[in-house]
Amino acid sequence: MTKLLAFTDPHFTKPGATIIGLDTAARFKTSLNAALHDHPDASALILLGDLAHHGEVDAYARLKDALADVPCPLIPMLGNHDRRETFLQAFPDAPQSPSGHIQTAIQHGPHHIITLDTLDGPPYSPGHHAGWLCDDRLDWLEARLAETMGAPTLICCHHPPFDTGIVGMDAIKLRNGADVLSRLKAHGNAMLVCGHIHRTISGVAQGVPYTMLKSTGHQAPLDFVTLDSALSIDEPPGYGVILLQPDGITIHHQDVLPRQQVRRDGHSESAPPA
Ligand SMILES: [Fe+2]
């Protein structure tokens, strides 16, 4: 069994800045420390995008510092809040496809992992947060899927390529998501993991199973009505633990809370107070 750690939407800011009053860098470090403490055997750490809130060089430098002691390989990805050029200033060795997009394909035993760069740009339009995969990236995905020969494949994609019911975020999903889903459906053995929404959500889209991780910083409220992608709420952060197992792929969601004592009396009940 291979274990991977996955974090999404840390939204690093410049020093001193906050998002809904939260120090997102501090929250990320808390999640990272908890994950590395509990899972020192992880084989890699995936960062599913929105690494910096405004794509600033300073924010990426802070993220790089926070990751300095991670003992396993890093697989960084970009989201709509990122900027490819400034990211590469801080992470010049990040894996890129031949078209210059921040995406890669990795094999762990019989399992394959494909990461996608869904950032739409350059040019970057202010306030534009939907995702896009150009023909170069779709062709690259098609070629990488073919190389897997139908083996279990984890597809890491910041923007969900489908609607979730969170209408404010559905308005800024992967715009050509149907192209991606049709390819994954044809592959027949792929699972999607996404970020972007800042909530834990699981389901199936066009026959493709998916889950998405909550942010290490601020979360999104469960709101099926309000057409606003900026709604945020201070709920606990979390991360994902991905197990590549002989039967397939399992993804666990772990909230990061003050450390709780694990007890063995979960199947019994206490007598009511007299
Ligand atoms: Fe985000």
Side-chain angles (χ1 to χ4, degrees):
M1 180 188 76
T2 298
K3 180 191 288 184
L4 312 171
L5 295 174
F7 299 79
T8 194
D9 294 85
H11 286 258
F12 269 63
T13 63
K14 292 180 178 177
T18 61
I19 298 175
I20 63 164
L22 301 174
D23 181 339
T24 52
R27 277 209 162 184
F28 175 79
K29 291 174 196 173
T30 299
S31 295
L32 179 65
N33 290 339
L36 294 177
H37 176 275
D38 289 350
H39 307 286
D41 54 341
S43 296
L45 191 157
I46 305 170
L47 297 162
L48 280 118
D50 278 2
L51 308 182
H53 193 50
H54 291 298
E56 314 98 318
V57 175
D58 289 356
Y60 290 122
R62 296 180 76 203
L63 173 62
K64 189 170 187 178
D65 284 348
L67 295 166
D69 295 328
V70 173
C72 60
L74 299 174
I75 306 172
M77 297 167 52
L78 301 185
N80 44 295
H81 282 263
D82 292 303
R83 293 295 177 261
R84 210 170 282 112
E85 297 73 19
T86 44
F87 164 79
L88 284 169
Q89 289 183 39
F91 293 88
D93 299 327
Q96 301 178 45
S97 59
S99 58
H101 294 99
I102 311 302
Q103 50 188 15
T104 191
I106 300 161
Q107 185 169 2
H108 279 278
H111 300 84
H112 293 257
I113 301 164
I114 298 172
T115 65
L116 294 172
D117 178 345
T118 56
L119 174 58
D120 188 7
Y124 306 109
S125 304
H128 174 67
H129 289 291
W132 179 252
L133 288 175
C134 58
D135 287 344
D136 280 346
R137 285 174 277 185
L138 286 174
D139 290 347
W140 181 87
L141 170 62
E142 186 76 30
R144 300 293 81 73
L145 287 170
E147 289 170 354
T148 70
M149 307 285 286
T153 301
L154 181 69
I155 306 293
C156 303
C157 181
H158 179 78
H159 291 81
F162 46 80
D163 286 331
T164 63
I166 310 290
V167 293
M169 296 303 293
D170 290 344
I172 56 169
K173 65 183 177 183
L174 184 65
R175 284 193 291 134
N176 53 342
D179 283 346
V180 174
L181 287 176
S182 65
R183 286 166 165 81
L184 301 187
K185 185 176 183 181
H187 178 274
N189 202 3
M191 178 174 188
L192 260 171
V193 58
C194 304
H196 193 49
I197 308 292
H198 294 227
R199 284 196 69 84
T200 305
I201 306 171
S202 298
V204 61
Q206 298 294 326
V208 179
Y210 70 81
T211 196
M212 51 192 78
L213 304 174
K214 64 195 315 192
S215 166
T216 59
H218 52 300
Q219 312 306 333
L222 186 62
D223 186 327
F224 299 134
V225 176
T226 310
L227 195 60
D228 184 345
S229 66
L231 300 179
S232 296
I233 190 169
D234 179 8
E235 292 180 343
Y239 63 91
V241 180
I242 301 169
L243 303 180
L244 307 178
Q245 307 193 84
D247 287 340
I249 299 169
T250 303
I251 302 183
H252 296 269
H253 298 267
Q254 177 65 59
D255 277 5
V256 178
L257 299 163
R259 188 159 291 276
Q260 301 287 310
Q261 179 185 5
V262 176
R263 299 171 55 161
R264 292 189 177 278
D265 58 355
H267 294 298
S268 59
E269 62 179 23
S270 302

PDB file of all heavy atoms in Angstrom, residues 8-11 49-51 53 79-81 158 169 195-198 215 218, ligand 1:
ATOM      1  N   THR A   8      -5.293  21.148   0.075  1.00  0.00           N
ATOM      2  CA  THR A   8      -5.758  22.051  -0.973  1.00  0.00           C
ATOM      3  C   THR A   8      -6.107  23.422  -0.413  1.00  0.00           C
ATOM      4  O   THR A   8      -6.408  23.576   0.776  1.00  0.00           O
ATOM      5  CB  THR A   8      -6.972  21.460  -1.727  1.00  0.00           C
ATOM      6  OG1 THR A   8      -7.159  22.215  -2.933  1.00  0.00           O
ATOM      7  CG2 THR A   8      -8.245  21.497  -0.900  1.00  0.00           C
ATOM      8  N   ASP A   9      -6.032  24.383  -1.316  1.00  0.00           N
ATOM      9  CA  ASP A   9      -6.486  25.759  -1.064  1.00  0.00           C
ATOM     10  C   ASP A   9      -5.907  26.382   0.206  1.00  0.00           C
ATOM     11  O   ASP A   9      -6.661  26.910   1.032  1.00  0.00           O
ATOM     12  CB  ASP A   9      -8.022  25.783  -1.041  1.00  0.00           C
ATOM     13  CG  ASP A   9      -8.618  25.449  -2.401  1.00  0.00           C
ATOM     14  OD1 ASP A   9      -8.779  24.244  -2.696  1.00  0.00           O
ATOM     15  OD2 ASP A   9      -8.879  26.385  -3.173  1.00  0.00           O
ATOM     16  N   PRO A  10      -4.580  26.368   0.364  1.00  0.00           N
ATOM     17  CA  PRO A  10      -4.009  27.027   1.546  1.00  0.00           C
ATOM     18  C   PRO A  10      -4.106  28.551   1.482  1.00  0.00           C
ATOM     19  O   PRO A  10      -4.057  29.215   2.519  1.00  0.00           O
ATOM     20  CB  PRO A  10      -2.548  26.556   1.544  1.00  0.00           C
ATOM     21  CG  PRO A  10      -2.260  26.189   0.129  1.00  0.00           C
ATOM     22  CD  PRO A  10      -3.559  25.644  -0.422  1.00  0.00           C
ATOM     23  N   HIS A  11      -4.195  29.116   0.274  1.00  0.00           N
ATOM     24  CA  HIS A  11      -4.398  30.569   0.126  1.00  0.00           C
ATOM     25  C   HIS A  11      -3.408  31.374   0.954  1.00  0.00           C
ATOM     26  O   HIS A  11      -3.811  32.231   1.764  1.00  0.00           O
ATOM     27  CB  HIS A  11      -5.838  30.960   0.481  1.00  0.00           C
ATOM     28  CG  HIS A  11      -6.850  30.586  -0.561  1.00  0.00           C
ATOM     29  ND1 HIS A  11      -7.386  31.483  -1.444  1.00  0.00           N
ATOM     30  CD2 HIS A  11      -7.407  29.384  -0.867  1.00  0.00           C
ATOM     31  CE1 HIS A  11      -8.245  30.872  -2.246  1.00  0.00           C
ATOM     32  NE2 HIS A  11      -8.281  29.591  -1.915  1.00  0.00           N
ATOM     33  N   GLY A  49      -3.695  23.250  -5.359  1.00  0.00           N
ATOM     34  CA  GLY A  49      -3.943  24.551  -5.958  1.00  0.00           C
ATOM     35  C   GLY A  49      -4.513  25.592  -5.020  1.00  0.00           C
ATOM     36  O   GLY A  49      -4.842  25.324  -3.866  1.00  0.00           O
ATOM     37  N   ASP A  50      -4.647  26.817  -5.558  1.00  0.00           N
ATOM     38  CA  ASP A  50      -4.903  28.016  -4.751  1.00  0.00           C
ATOM     39  C   ASP A  50      -3.867  28.074  -3.629  1.00  0.00           C
ATOM     40  O   ASP A  50      -4.186  28.206  -2.442  1.00  0.00           O
ATOM     41  CB  ASP A  50      -6.332  28.056  -4.207  1.00  0.00           C
ATOM     42  CG  ASP A  50      -7.328  28.587  -5.232  1.00  0.00           C
ATOM     43  OD1 ASP A  50      -6.911  28.885  -6.367  1.00  0.00           O
ATOM     44  OD2 ASP A  50      -8.516  28.704  -4.898  1.00  0.00           O
ATOM     45  N   LEU A  51      -2.612  28.013  -4.047  1.00  0.00           N
ATOM     46  CA  LEU A  51      -1.512  28.019  -3.091  1.00  0.00           C
ATOM     47  C   LEU A  51      -1.338  29.417  -2.507  1.00  0.00           C
ATOM     48  O   LEU A  51      -1.030  29.562  -1.326  1.00  0.00           O
ATOM     49  CB  LEU A  51      -0.229  27.554  -3.776  1.00  0.00           C
ATOM     50  CG  LEU A  51      -0.333  26.211  -4.535  1.00  0.00           C
ATOM     51  CD1 LEU A  51       1.014  25.836  -5.127  1.00  0.00           C
ATOM     52  CD2 LEU A  51      -0.861  25.104  -3.634  1.00  0.00           C
ATOM     53  N   HIS A  53      -3.153  33.440  -2.329  1.00  0.00           N
ATOM     54  CA  HIS A  53      -4.470  34.064  -2.488  1.00  0.00           C
ATOM     55  C   HIS A  53      -4.498  35.029  -3.658  1.00  0.00           C
ATOM     56  O   HIS A  53      -5.505  35.169  -4.349  1.00  0.00           O
ATOM     57  CB  HIS A  53      -4.844  34.785  -1.194  1.00  0.00           C
ATOM     58  CG  HIS A  53      -6.283  35.203  -1.132  1.00  0.00           C
ATOM     59  ND1 HIS A  53      -7.322  34.340  -1.399  1.00  0.00           N
ATOM     60  CD2 HIS A  53      -6.864  36.417  -0.853  1.00  0.00           C
ATOM     61  CE1 HIS A  53      -8.478  34.972  -1.274  1.00  0.00           C
ATOM     62  NE2 HIS A  53      -8.225  36.233  -0.953  1.00  0.00           N
ATOM     63  N   GLY A  79      -4.311  26.706  -8.865  1.00  0.00           N
ATOM     64  CA  GLY A  79      -5.739  26.982  -8.930  1.00  0.00           C
ATOM     65  C   GLY A  79      -5.972  28.379  -9.464  1.00  0.00           C
ATOM     66  O   GLY A  79      -5.033  29.070  -9.884  1.00  0.00           O
ATOM     67  N   ASN A  80      -7.217  28.803  -9.418  1.00  0.00           N
ATOM     68  CA  ASN A  80      -7.592  30.079 -10.014  1.00  0.00           C
ATOM     69  C   ASN A  80      -6.962  31.276  -9.324  1.00  0.00           C
ATOM     70  O   ASN A  80      -6.809  32.338  -9.926  1.00  0.00           O
ATOM     71  CB  ASN A  80      -9.115  30.235  -9.997  1.00  0.00           C
ATOM     72  CG  ASN A  80      -9.736  29.816  -8.687  1.00  0.00           C
ATOM     73  OD1 ASN A  80      -9.667  28.634  -8.322  1.00  0.00           O
ATOM     74  ND2 ASN A  80     -10.316  30.755  -7.963  1.00  0.00           N
ATOM     75  N   HIS A  81      -6.585  31.148  -8.059  1.00  0.00           N
ATOM     76  CA  HIS A  81      -5.960  32.272  -7.354  1.00  0.00           C
ATOM     77  C   HIS A  81      -4.458  32.347  -7.635  1.00  0.00           C
ATOM     78  O   HIS A  81      -3.808  33.306  -7.209  1.00  0.00           O
ATOM     79  CB  HIS A  81      -6.188  32.155  -5.845  1.00  0.00           C
ATOM     80  CG  HIS A  81      -7.562  32.582  -5.422  1.00  0.00           C
ATOM     81  ND1 HIS A  81      -7.856  33.834  -4.936  1.00  0.00           N
ATOM     82  CD2 HIS A  81      -8.744  31.912  -5.438  1.00  0.00           C
ATOM     83  CE1 HIS A  81      -9.146  33.922  -4.654  1.00  0.00           C
ATOM     84  NE2 HIS A  81      -9.709  32.766  -4.947  1.00  0.00           N
ATOM     85  N   HIS A 158      -7.805  20.864  -9.793  1.00  0.00           N
ATOM     86  CA  HIS A 158      -8.284  21.888  -8.843  1.00  0.00           C
ATOM     87  C   HIS A 158      -9.774  22.178  -9.035  1.00  0.00           C
ATOM     88  O   HIS A 158     -10.564  22.085  -8.101  1.00  0.00           O
ATOM     89  CB  HIS A 158      -7.477  23.175  -8.991  1.00  0.00           C
ATOM     90  CG  HIS A 158      -7.944  24.248  -8.062  1.00  0.00           C
ATOM     91  ND1 HIS A 158      -7.609  24.263  -6.731  1.00  0.00           N
ATOM     92  CD2 HIS A 158      -8.769  25.322  -8.254  1.00  0.00           C
ATOM     93  CE1 HIS A 158      -8.185  25.303  -6.141  1.00  0.00           C
ATOM     94  NE2 HIS A 158      -8.893  25.953  -7.043  1.00  0.00           N
ATOM     95  N   MET A 169     -20.131  28.404  -6.475  1.00  0.00           N
ATOM     96  CA  MET A 169     -18.895  27.808  -6.965  1.00  0.00           C
ATOM     97  C   MET A 169     -19.103  27.108  -8.307  1.00  0.00           C
ATOM     98  O   MET A 169     -18.185  27.041  -9.129  1.00  0.00           O
ATOM     99  CB  MET A 169     -18.332  26.821  -5.929  1.00  0.00           C
ATOM    100  CG  MET A 169     -17.925  27.468  -4.619  1.00  0.00           C
ATOM    101  SD  MET A 169     -16.704  28.792  -4.804  1.00  0.00           S
ATOM    102  CE  MET A 169     -15.276  27.863  -5.351  1.00  0.00           C
ATOM    103  N   GLY A 195     -10.158  20.301  -5.512  1.00  0.00           N
ATOM    104  CA  GLY A 195     -10.182  21.305  -4.455  1.00  0.00           C
ATOM    105  C   GLY A 195     -11.238  22.330  -4.815  1.00  0.00           C
ATOM    106  O   GLY A 195     -12.345  21.975  -5.208  1.00  0.00           O
ATOM    107  N   HIS A 196     -10.903  23.611  -4.664  1.00  0.00           N
ATOM    108  CA  HIS A 196     -11.679  24.735  -5.204  1.00  0.00           C
ATOM    109  C   HIS A 196     -12.912  25.091  -4.396  1.00  0.00           C
ATOM    110  O   HIS A 196     -13.157  26.261  -4.132  1.00  0.00           O
ATOM    111  CB  HIS A 196     -12.081  24.434  -6.654  1.00  0.00           C
ATOM    112  CG  HIS A 196     -12.614  25.604  -7.418  1.00  0.00           C
ATOM    113  ND1 HIS A 196     -11.985  26.826  -7.455  1.00  0.00           N
ATOM    114  CD2 HIS A 196     -13.730  25.744  -8.207  1.00  0.00           C
ATOM    115  CE1 HIS A 196     -12.681  27.648  -8.229  1.00  0.00           C
ATOM    116  NE2 HIS A 196     -13.742  27.024  -8.682  1.00  0.00           N
ATOM    117  N   ILE A 197     -13.722  24.089  -3.999  1.00  0.00           N
ATOM    118  CA  ILE A 197     -14.992  24.406  -3.352  1.00  0.00           C
ATOM    119  C   ILE A 197     -14.793  24.754  -1.872  1.00  0.00           C
ATOM    120  O   ILE A 197     -15.613  25.429  -1.276  1.00  0.00           O
ATOM    121  CB  ILE A 197     -15.985  23.217  -3.473  1.00  0.00           C
ATOM    122  CG1 ILE A 197     -16.112  22.760  -4.933  1.00  0.00           C
ATOM    123  CG2 ILE A 197     -17.354  23.594  -2.917  1.00  0.00           C
ATOM    124  CD1 ILE A 197     -16.781  23.740  -5.837  1.00  0.00           C
ATOM    125  N   HIS A 198     -13.732  24.269  -1.255  1.00  0.00           N
ATOM    126  CA  HIS A 198     -13.493  24.470   0.188  1.00  0.00           C
ATOM    127  C   HIS A 198     -14.556  23.745   1.020  1.00  0.00           C
ATOM    128  O   HIS A 198     -15.025  24.252   2.030  1.00  0.00           O
ATOM    129  CB  HIS A 198     -13.468  25.956   0.563  1.00  0.00           C
ATOM    130  CG  HIS A 198     -12.313  26.733  -0.015  1.00  0.00           C
ATOM    131  ND1 HIS A 198     -11.548  27.601   0.746  1.00  0.00           N
ATOM    132  CD2 HIS A 198     -11.802  26.779  -1.268  1.00  0.00           C
ATOM    133  CE1 HIS A 198     -10.626  28.153  -0.025  1.00  0.00           C
ATOM    134  NE2 HIS A 198     -10.767  27.670  -1.261  1.00  0.00           N
ATOM    135  N   SER A 215     -10.481  22.980   2.514  1.00  0.00           N
ATOM    136  CA  SER A 215      -9.271  23.805   2.540  1.00  0.00           C
ATOM    137  C   SER A 215      -8.509  23.616   3.850  1.00  0.00           C
ATOM    138  O   SER A 215      -9.074  23.204   4.863  1.00  0.00           O
ATOM    139  CB  SER A 215      -9.681  25.271   2.381  1.00  0.00           C
ATOM    140  OG  SER A 215      -8.627  26.146   2.705  1.00  0.00           O
ATOM    141  N   HIS A 218      -9.851  28.614   5.160  1.00  0.00           N
ATOM    142  CA  HIS A 218     -11.279  28.939   5.312  1.00  0.00           C
ATOM    143  C   HIS A 218     -12.121  27.984   4.470  1.00  0.00           C
ATOM    144  O   HIS A 218     -11.686  27.480   3.441  1.00  0.00           O
ATOM    145  CB  HIS A 218     -11.522  30.380   4.892  1.00  0.00           C
ATOM    146  CG  HIS A 218     -10.978  30.730   3.532  1.00  0.00           C
ATOM    147  ND1 HIS A 218      -9.637  30.646   3.197  1.00  0.00           N
ATOM    148  CD2 HIS A 218     -11.598  31.139   2.397  1.00  0.00           C
ATOM    149  CE1 HIS A 218      -9.464  31.015   1.950  1.00  0.00           C
ATOM    150  NE2 HIS A 218     -10.628  31.299   1.436  1.00  0.00           N
TER     151      HIS A 218
HETATM  152 FE    FE B   1      -9.621  28.286  -3.062  1.00  0.00          FE
END
